[in-house]
Amino acid sequence: MRVGSVVIYRGAFNEQIRWGNNDDPRPLLTIGSVYIVSDVEVHSWRTKIQLEGYEGQKFNSVSFEEI
């Protein structure tokens, strides 16, 4: 994923949120909805993304599918 990518939120499990201390997207995002990536933070074992309109929130990239 890169900045400007369009992604679909596919949902998240507790383990995906805890891994790397990610923010919980479940109360904020709607499964199946489309979002735009505004920042990407790559780590050795995980990638966190931020979405336009959700600044300050970092989500596990595995919860999203790039389209």
Side-chain angles (χ1 to χ4, degrees), residues 5-53:
S5 293
V6 178
V7 295
I8 296 175
Y9 173 56
R10 294 296 183 192
F13 298 103
N14 288 336
E15 294 79 14
Q16 294 168 333
I17 296 162
R18 284 191 291 253
W19 176 253
N21 197 30
N22 299 291
D23 291 303
D24 188 350
R26 296 174 293 189
L28 302 171
L29 307 180
T30 303
I31 293 174
S33 291
V34 174
Y35 301 92
I36 298 173
V37 176
S38 62
D39 190 47
V40 178
E41 187 178 298
V42 178
H43 298 270
S44 59
W45 290 92
R46 66 190 185 285
T47 300
K48 294 182 179 187
I49 63 170
Q50 286 184 307
L51 304 174
E52 287 186 7

